[in-house]
Amino acid sequence: MTYNKTFTRRSALRTLAGLPLAASMIGVPRLASAAAPEYVFKYGNNLPNSHPLNIRAQEAAARVAKESNGRMEVRVFPNNQLGGDTDMLAQVRSGGIDMFNAGTMVIATLAPISAITAIGFAFSDDQEVWNAVDGKLGNSIRAAFAKVGLYTLDKMWNNGFRQVTSSSHPVATAADLDGMKIRVPVSPMGISLFKSLSAAPTSLQFSEVYSALQTKVVDAQENPLAIVQTAKLYEVQKYCSLTNHSWDGYHLVVNGRAWRGLPDDLKTIYARAFNEAGLQQRDDLVKLNTTLQDELTSKGLQFNTAEADSFREQLRKAGFYAEWKQKFGAQAWALLEESVGKVS
């Protein structure tokens, strides 16, 4: 049979125009097509392409496409392409995007227990972190996300221990933070931590950090070294103080409705790919941090090692630990101390 090409194209357009809007939404089945996947997930994050998280995320996305035989596609949108942290968090809840790598302090606005892993000086090394977030404490946090409509992948991804950078002076002891204008994430924990250390914290989305430092809205910021490097914060900062004051990681959260809409076999493929990529990314970041100090020194940053005991003493005096133990509750605090020992 011979078909009229013009008629076929117009008919197709009329047919598509008449389809319900929901059929074209991200995270729900699409019309079967030899070229198009049945399911497409949009994954937004705030990190540059060069960050280990995005390198491994792209690998995981490719694995999902291959193992699903093209039935599922994960599209990665790095570097705040889909908005700032709070924007993307709202979008993943509403279904505007399907997945977001939520920082521990940012997502605490929805599930406060998430911020417990950011408690100042709670962890002494990476292994203590993984014991906590892969164990009972992590399970408790993931259960809290489920209550606000988010499915959370089992393995957290690594952001690393946070350090303080400044354009004015190095931070060697807690006294050096007195009055310092420092950017912190949009979270109660970040504000509380640095107020307790007598600094002057300001909450800004990460997409605003570079310009805020450049224009002197703030003099300092605190982030892991990989962020300082990939976001080129060394261009607008002079000093980097190795405080290790707080550990930060990423929960990969998925819109609950989109997750429930996936067939079981695709759920398995998707979760396996991203959980295994997360374990690789953890190691990537640890290895990267061993080389970054030399690289950032060559970019002009001046490094010093801070005295952790002076910060802990100041936090105790300010009642920081007592306040947050009360806020998180005895049960959550006990799960933290089960992994790291007494925190106070």
Side-chain angles (χ1 to χ4, degrees):
M1 181 180 294
T2 302
Y3 289 88
N4 182 300
K5 293 183 179 179
T6 302
F7 175 78
T8 302
R9 184 162 54 249
R10 288 175 180 170
S11 298
L13 290 172
R14 283 198 299 270
T15 301
L16 288 172
L19 286 173
L21 178 61
S24 63
M25 289 175 61
I26 295 299
V28 298
R30 295 184 168 194
L31 290 178
S33 166
E38 295 176 59
Y39 298 86
V40 177
F41 270 21
K42 289 171 66 178
Y43 167 29
N45 68 69
N46 65 3
L47 298 172
N49 267 320
S50 57
H51 192 278
L53 180 142
N54 271 313
I55 293 171
R56 291 298 184 183
Q58 292 286 3
E59 291 176 357
R63 181 176 172 184
V64 168
K66 181 179 179 181
E67 293 185 6
S68 69
N69 294 317
R71 291 172 58 210
M72 185 174 186
E73 178 184 354
V74 180
R75 297 176 183 169
V76 183
F77 295 85
N79 209 27
N80 295 295
Q81 290 180 28
L82 303 181
D85 287 346
T86 54
D87 300 323
M88 288 188 283
L89 183 57
Q91 288 180 68
V92 79
R93 291 194 74 199
S94 68
I97 61 177
D98 302 284
M99 185 167 75
F100 170 51
N101 62 303
T104 53
M105 287 189 281
V106 172
I107 200 169
T109 56
L110 291 181
I113 191 177
S114 169
I116 197 169
T117 55
I119 284 287
F121 302 95
F123 299 105
S124 60
D125 56 38
D126 290 292
Q127 192 53 57
E128 284 190 350
V129 171
W130 306 133
N131 289 344
V133 302
D134 290 341
K136 295 177 184 177
L137 181 61
N139 291 338
S140 182
I141 294 170
R142 287 182 280 276
F145 295 157
K147 292 178 180 177
V148 293
L150 296 173
Y151 173 78
T152 312
L153 293 169
D154 290 339
K155 300 301 179 184
M156 284 190 73
W157 291 40
N158 198 1
N159 195 16
F161 284 93
R162 302 176 79 93
Q163 321 296 349
V164 174
T165 70
S166 168
S167 61
S168 57
H169 60 269
V171 175
T173 68
D176 294 318
L177 282 170
D178 190 23
M180 179 178 278
K181 294 187 296 182
I182 184 168
R183 177 269 173 180
V184 298
V186 182
S187 75
M189 173 64 76
I191 292 288
S192 173
L193 176 63
F194 281 92
K195 275 190 173 179
S196 296
L197 292 170
S198 300
T202 299
S203 286
L204 296 171
Q205 297 204 55
F206 183 72
S207 56
E208 303 171 58
V209 172
Y210 188 100
S211 62
L213 293 169
Q214 188 176 43
T215 58
K216 305 298 184 182
V217 171
V218 292
D219 297 318
Q221 66 86 47
E222 46 85 52
N223 259 304
L225 292 184
I227 299 294
V228 176
Q229 187 246 5
T230 56
K232 298 185 178 181
L233 299 183
Y234 53 81
E235 295 178 345
V236 288
Q237 297 280 265
K238 185 176 181 180
Y239 304 99
C240 183
S241 303
L242 300 176
T243 53
N244 289 325
H245 57 272
S246 179
W247 178 82
D248 195 15
Y250 297 109
H251 296 279
L252 267 61
V253 293
V254 182
N255 175 272
R257 189 169 56 253
W259 179 256
R260 291 189 297 272
L262 284 180
D264 288 344
D265 63 326
L266 292 185
K267 287 179 181 176
T268 298
I269 290 170
Y270 180 90
R272 181 172 59 224
F274 276 93
N275 281 327
E276 292 181 6
L279 294 176
Q280 293 173 311
Q281 187 269 346
R282 291 179 182 182
D283 292 337
D284 292 342
L285 199 70
V286 171
K287 292 173 184 174
L288 179 61
N289 278 334
T290 63
T291 64
L292 278 179
Q293 186 170 340
D294 286 343
E295 180 180 338
L296 290 170
T297 297
S298 73
K299 302 286 189 183
L301 272 186
Q302 299 177 29
F303 279 82
N304 70 283
T305 300
E307 300 173 11
D309 286 346
S310 73
F311 297 90
R312 290 193 186 96
E313 182 60 27
Q314 174 61 30
L315 292 175
R316 289 189 194 101
K317 287 181 180 178
F320 173 81
Y321 294 115
E323 174 190 353
W324 283 95
K325 181 176 181 179
Q326 182 178 17
K327 286 183 176 180
F328 288 126
Q331 183 177 4
W333 201 262
L335 291 176
L336 174 64
E337 293 191 331
E338 190 176 311
S339 298
V340 303
K342 187 171 177 58
V343 179
S344 64

